[in-house]
Amino acid sequence: MAEIICGKTVSAAKRLDIKNRVEELKNKGITTGLAVIIVGNNSASRVYVNNKKKACEEVGIESFEFALPEETTQEELLNLIDKLNNDSKVDGILCQLPLPSHIDEQAVINSIDPKKDVDAFHPENVGHIMIGDYTFLPCTPAGIMEMLKFYNIDVKGKKCVVIGRSNIVGKPMAMLLLKENGTVEICHSRTENLKEETLTADILVAAVGKAYFVTEDMVKDGAVVIDVGMNRNDEGKLCGDVDFDNVKEKASFITPVPGGVGPMTITMLLENTVRAASQK
Ligand code: GUN
């Protein structure tokens, strides 16, 4: 049976370090602030934003919330971002995605000052990640790398299979695993014979967005299984992309949902925010 990778434990250690760094900056007269923008009434986004604000408070980062109505125009949103780009109290700007469909998400991402882009979504920061030389970490993949390190799971030479090719998780995840000398494969919805591919994985990362998508027959004996999913099952209960109860019998390590990758994503956002403050 697999050892459970506890995101809360890894987070707690990391958040303590971040809290100390925020305090050190404060002692030098440097504040650390994060602007969080949410547009519309997406209930999942509201939960994420509340969790991010709570985490800021925990480590002494000041958070400034901008809750805008669904009908906000792209121009209004870009104007707000422009103001925040020029506000010295704001070190990081996070615009919670998804945005309402009348707003061009990429235009909004492009408008954030790359030095305040704590999500690392701006093309300039994405480029840095591609090159392997960066300040801002892509939060979810970086959180996963921290968890692997904490549990002494070596990536070097391992076959890593990432299911999902999103800009937020799949693509940057592949880059970070590659940087640690993993042999990386990205699978997606058009991959033929997915099971054949996943069965080769020493490290399997599921970022699909479908409840219980990864079943035990898709997992190699002793694999490390990382679940990025955040879904609701038929009973409305929070669950991941992995059929945890069955897969845990086959894996060597596995992340639960909740309490796995989720807390780490927020922790890495805090890490990026304190990095931004340190550099101003
Ligand atoms: N929506 C889902 N995940 C994220 C994230 O990491 N950052 C932002 N800004 N929006 C999201």
Side-chain angles (χ1 to χ4, degrees):
M1 185 161 126
E3 182 170 346
I4 310 295
I5 296 179
C6 179
K8 284 186 195 159
T9 304
V10 188
S11 272
K14 187 89 192 149
R15 286 187 194 189
L16 196 62
D17 169 61
I18 294 168
K19 190 175 178 186
N20 289 335
R21 284 154 60 204
V22 171
E23 185 70 28
E24 274 170 31
L25 288 174
K26 205 177 269 173
N27 292 340
K28 290 188 214 160
I30 301 167
T31 58
T32 306
L34 176 69
V36 182
I37 305 170
I38 176 168
V39 186
N41 308 309
N42 183 315
S43 57
S45 289
R46 175 37 70 193
V47 173
Y48 291 136
V49 163
N50 288 348
N51 288 340
K52 287 170 184 179
K53 280 168 51 194
K54 210 169 106 203
C56 282
E57 221 171 89
E58 194 187 308
V59 300
I61 294 176
E62 197 174 352
S63 68
F64 312 99
E65 180 180 309
F66 297 86
L68 307 179
E70 181 81 23
E71 56 278 10
T72 300
T73 65
Q74 183 166 319
E75 195 189 354
E76 286 167 332
L77 181 53
L78 294 180
N79 284 341
L80 170 63
I81 291 172
D82 186 48
K83 244 175 49 197
L84 298 173
N85 280 340
N86 292 298
D87 184 339
S88 61
K89 277 171 81 180
V90 172
D91 299 292
I93 302 169
L94 177 135
C95 184
Q96 188 66 27
L97 304 179
L99 290 168
S101 57
H102 65 276
I103 297 178
D104 175 355
E105 265 179 19
Q106 195 58 50
V108 171
I109 289 168
N110 293 354
S111 76
I112 295 174
D113 181 344
K115 292 190 182 65
K116 297 192 178 189
D117 171 37
V118 285
D119 267 320
F121 291 167
H122 189 285
E124 190 175 313
N125 290 321
V126 173
H128 283 298
I129 293 161
M130 189 81 181
I131 294 165
D133 152 34
Y134 42 79
T135 305
F136 290 138
L137 309 158
C139 297
T140 299
I144 291 169
M145 297 310 286
E146 287 281 329
M147 291 198 291
L148 295 177
K149 204 160 76 184
F150 189 92
Y151 284 84
N152 293 315
I153 298 164
D154 197 7
V155 174
K156 188 172 67 186
K158 298 278 167 56
K159 177 69 187 291
C160 308
V161 175
V162 179
I163 320 175
R165 56 175 156 176
S166 71
N167 290 333
I168 297 183
V169 183
K171 288 184 207 168
M173 184 76 250
M175 286 302 126
L176 299 201
L177 290 165
L178 190 60
K179 189 163 188 261
E180 291 305 316
N181 300 305
T183 301
V184 184
E185 176 180 332
I186 305 180
C187 296
H188 47 79
S189 53
R190 307 282 169 86
T191 298
E192 289 181 5
N193 304 318
L194 178 64
K195 182 174 151 182
E196 254 174 48
E197 307 302 330
T198 60
L199 277 171
T200 67
D202 301 309
I203 298 173
L204 180 63
V205 180
V208 188
K210 287 188 183 150
Y212 311 124
F213 182 82
V214 175
T215 47
E216 77 206 274
D217 57 317
M218 295 166 73
V219 176
K220 181 162 98 172
D221 268 326
V224 175
V225 179
I226 307 292
D227 191 348
V228 183
M230 192 68 87
N231 315 296
R232 299 262 167 203
N233 68 10
D234 292 341
E235 287 118 47
K237 204 177 135 215
L238 203 59
C239 68
D241 290 346
V242 175
D243 178 9
F244 180 86
D245 288 342
N246 293 311
V247 172
K248 78 176 190 308
E249 302 301 328
K250 235 175 155 184
S252 57
F253 288 90
I254 189 167
T255 62
V257 176
V261 173
M264 284 309 295
T265 296
I266 298 183
T267 300
M268 301 320 283
L269 170 72
L270 304 175
E271 169 70 36
N272 283 342
T273 307
V274 73
R275 283 186 186 194
S278 309
Q279 298 199 343
K280 74 179 163 188

